[in-house]
Amino acid sequence: MTAPSTYGLSTQARNLQWLLTDLVEEVPGVNSVAVVSSDGLLLLSSDPGGAAGATPAPTKGPRGASADLATIVSGLGSLTTGAAELMDGGAVKQTMVAMEFGSVFVMAISDGSLLGVHATPDCDMSVVAYHMALFVGRAGHVLTPEVRSELRQSMEKTP
């Protein structure tokens, strides 16, 4: 895989892109990955048509659209947060949807930001969840309002 273009980005933004690339390349069965802000905007994606400097997914997911995954991640995050509030369940840590032809995982990062992963049906769910937790642990303190703003602006510059 070609390294993403990081020209003009801060060290923190480049580190987040590196973490995303590592997640996609190192975890078997991962189709695509998206990082979504609390307001549902796509910040980072493994789809080359997504965020600036994003890396391509090892296999093509349905429609190959990072916007689709971002929409799903944002919707699932909102739905599960509402359900947790109604049930007095506390903060949602992770959501997983297992389907016949794949799985979708959503994990909270910080300040409402979410990490979403679309994986193959035969993936090892515990391995995917473990690597997502590693990403969240490493990215949580880096994904500041300033970095989120920088990533949003880089998305707007993407052709």
PDB file of all heavy atoms in Angstrom, residues 80-93:
ATOM      1  N   THR A  80     -27.460   3.715  19.737  1.00  0.00           N
ATOM      2  CA  THR A  80     -27.046   3.006  20.948  1.00  0.00           C
ATOM      3  C   THR A  80     -26.874   3.948  22.137  1.00  0.00           C
ATOM      4  O   THR A  80     -27.143   3.557  23.276  1.00  0.00           O
ATOM      5  CB  THR A  80     -25.749   2.204  20.715  1.00  0.00           C
ATOM      6  OG1 THR A  80     -24.733   3.078  20.227  1.00  0.00           O
ATOM      7  CG2 THR A  80     -25.981   1.077  19.719  1.00  0.00           C
ATOM      8  N   THR A  81     -26.457   5.183  21.887  1.00  0.00           N
ATOM      9  CA  THR A  81     -26.366   6.156  22.983  1.00  0.00           C
ATOM     10  C   THR A  81     -27.759   6.456  23.535  1.00  0.00           C
ATOM     11  O   THR A  81     -27.953   6.517  24.753  1.00  0.00           O
ATOM     12  CB  THR A  81     -25.686   7.456  22.496  1.00  0.00           C
ATOM     13  OG1 THR A  81     -24.355   7.138  22.085  1.00  0.00           O
ATOM     14  CG2 THR A  81     -25.650   8.512  23.585  1.00  0.00           C
ATOM     15  N   GLY A  82     -28.734   6.630  22.645  1.00  0.00           N
ATOM     16  CA  GLY A  82     -30.116   6.842  23.085  1.00  0.00           C
ATOM     17  C   GLY A  82     -30.659   5.658  23.864  1.00  0.00           C
ATOM     18  O   GLY A  82     -31.326   5.823  24.887  1.00  0.00           O
ATOM     19  N   ALA A  83     -30.377   4.456  23.379  1.00  0.00           N
ATOM     20  CA  ALA A  83     -30.831   3.244  24.082  1.00  0.00           C
ATOM     21  C   ALA A  83     -30.194   3.148  25.462  1.00  0.00           C
ATOM     22  O   ALA A  83     -30.864   2.809  26.444  1.00  0.00           O
ATOM     23  CB  ALA A  83     -30.495   2.002  23.250  1.00  0.00           C
ATOM     24  N   ALA A  84     -28.922   3.453  25.552  1.00  0.00           N
ATOM     25  CA  ALA A  84     -28.227   3.395  26.849  1.00  0.00           C
ATOM     26  C   ALA A  84     -28.813   4.394  27.835  1.00  0.00           C
ATOM     27  O   ALA A  84     -28.944   4.099  29.031  1.00  0.00           O
ATOM     28  CB  ALA A  84     -26.733   3.647  26.652  1.00  0.00           C
ATOM     29  N   GLU A  85     -29.173   5.587  27.337  1.00  0.00           N
ATOM     30  CA  GLU A  85     -29.788   6.588  28.216  1.00  0.00           C
ATOM     31  C   GLU A  85     -31.142   6.106  28.718  1.00  0.00           C
ATOM     32  O   GLU A  85     -31.461   6.249  29.907  1.00  0.00           O
ATOM     33  CB  GLU A  85     -29.941   7.920  27.476  1.00  0.00           C
ATOM     34  CG  GLU A  85     -28.634   8.643  27.264  1.00  0.00           C
ATOM     35  CD  GLU A  85     -28.777   9.891  26.407  1.00  0.00           C
ATOM     36  OE1 GLU A  85     -29.923  10.315  26.110  1.00  0.00           O
ATOM     37  OE2 GLU A  85     -27.728  10.443  26.012  1.00  0.00           O
ATOM     38  N   LEU A  86     -31.961   5.528  27.824  1.00  0.00           N
ATOM     39  CA  LEU A  86     -33.277   5.028  28.221  1.00  0.00           C
ATOM     40  C   LEU A  86     -33.183   3.890  29.231  1.00  0.00           C
ATOM     41  O   LEU A  86     -34.055   3.724  30.083  1.00  0.00           O
ATOM     42  CB  LEU A  86     -34.053   4.543  26.995  1.00  0.00           C
ATOM     43  CG  LEU A  86     -34.601   5.622  26.077  1.00  0.00           C
ATOM     44  CD1 LEU A  86     -35.178   5.001  24.812  1.00  0.00           C
ATOM     45  CD2 LEU A  86     -35.667   6.439  26.792  1.00  0.00           C
ATOM     46  N   MET A  87     -32.126   3.114  29.148  1.00  0.00           N
ATOM     47  CA  MET A  87     -31.954   1.954  30.025  1.00  0.00           C
ATOM     48  C   MET A  87     -31.050   2.233  31.212  1.00  0.00           C
ATOM     49  O   MET A  87     -30.701   1.307  31.936  1.00  0.00           O
ATOM     50  CB  MET A  87     -31.386   0.782  29.218  1.00  0.00           C
ATOM     51  CG  MET A  87     -32.292   0.318  28.130  1.00  0.00           C
ATOM     52  SD  MET A  87     -31.478  -1.017  27.230  1.00  0.00           S
ATOM     53  CE  MET A  87     -32.571  -1.192  25.858  1.00  0.00           C
ATOM     54  N   ASP A  88     -30.650   3.498  31.377  1.00  0.00           N
ATOM     55  CA  ASP A  88     -29.702   3.855  32.437  1.00  0.00           C
ATOM     56  C   ASP A  88     -28.472   2.956  32.396  1.00  0.00           C
ATOM     57  O   ASP A  88     -27.988   2.480  33.424  1.00  0.00           O
ATOM     58  CB  ASP A  88     -30.369   3.784  33.832  1.00  0.00           C
ATOM     59  CG  ASP A  88     -31.442   4.839  34.000  1.00  0.00           C
ATOM     60  OD1 ASP A  88     -31.261   5.947  33.456  1.00  0.00           O
ATOM     61  OD2 ASP A  88     -32.456   4.554  34.676  1.00  0.00           O
ATOM     62  N   GLY A  89     -27.959   2.726  31.194  1.00  0.00           N
ATOM     63  CA  GLY A  89     -26.847   1.799  31.002  1.00  0.00           C
ATOM     64  C   GLY A  89     -25.470   2.441  31.040  1.00  0.00           C
ATOM     65  O   GLY A  89     -24.477   1.743  30.905  1.00  0.00           O
ATOM     66  N   GLY A  90     -25.405   3.756  31.166  1.00  0.00           N
ATOM     67  CA  GLY A  90     -24.101   4.416  31.156  1.00  0.00           C
ATOM     68  C   GLY A  90     -23.607   4.601  29.737  1.00  0.00           C
ATOM     69  O   GLY A  90     -24.353   4.459  28.763  1.00  0.00           O
ATOM     70  N   ALA A  91     -22.338   4.932  29.608  1.00  0.00           N
ATOM     71  CA  ALA A  91     -21.747   5.207  28.294  1.00  0.00           C
ATOM     72  C   ALA A  91     -21.621   3.921  27.467  1.00  0.00           C
ATOM     73  O   ALA A  91     -21.307   2.853  27.999  1.00  0.00           O
ATOM     74  CB  ALA A  91     -20.368   5.835  28.459  1.00  0.00           C
ATOM     75  N   VAL A  92     -21.875   4.045  26.175  1.00  0.00           N
ATOM     76  CA  VAL A  92     -21.718   2.918  25.259  1.00  0.00           C
ATOM     77  C   VAL A  92     -20.239   2.797  24.924  1.00  0.00           C
ATOM     78  O   VAL A  92     -19.615   3.761  24.495  1.00  0.00           O
ATOM     79  CB  VAL A  92     -22.535   3.125  23.961  1.00  0.00           C
ATOM     80  CG1 VAL A  92     -22.302   1.983  22.984  1.00  0.00           C
ATOM     81  CG2 VAL A  92     -24.015   3.268  24.287  1.00  0.00           C
ATOM     82  N   LYS A  93     -19.695   1.608  25.107  1.00  0.00           N
ATOM     83  CA  LYS A  93     -18.273   1.381  24.819  1.00  0.00           C
ATOM     84  C   LYS A  93     -18.069   0.825  23.421  1.00  0.00           C
ATOM     85  O   LYS A  93     -17.144   1.207  22.723  1.00  0.00           O
ATOM     86  CB  LYS A  93     -17.679   0.441  25.857  1.00  0.00           C
ATOM     87  CG  LYS A  93     -17.678   1.034  27.255  1.00  0.00           C
ATOM     88  CD  LYS A  93     -17.106   0.071  28.252  1.00  0.00           C
ATOM     89  CE  LYS A  93     -17.138   0.690  29.642  1.00  0.00           C
ATOM     90  NZ  LYS A  93     -16.548  -0.197  30.628  1.00  0.00           N
TER      91      LYS A  93
END
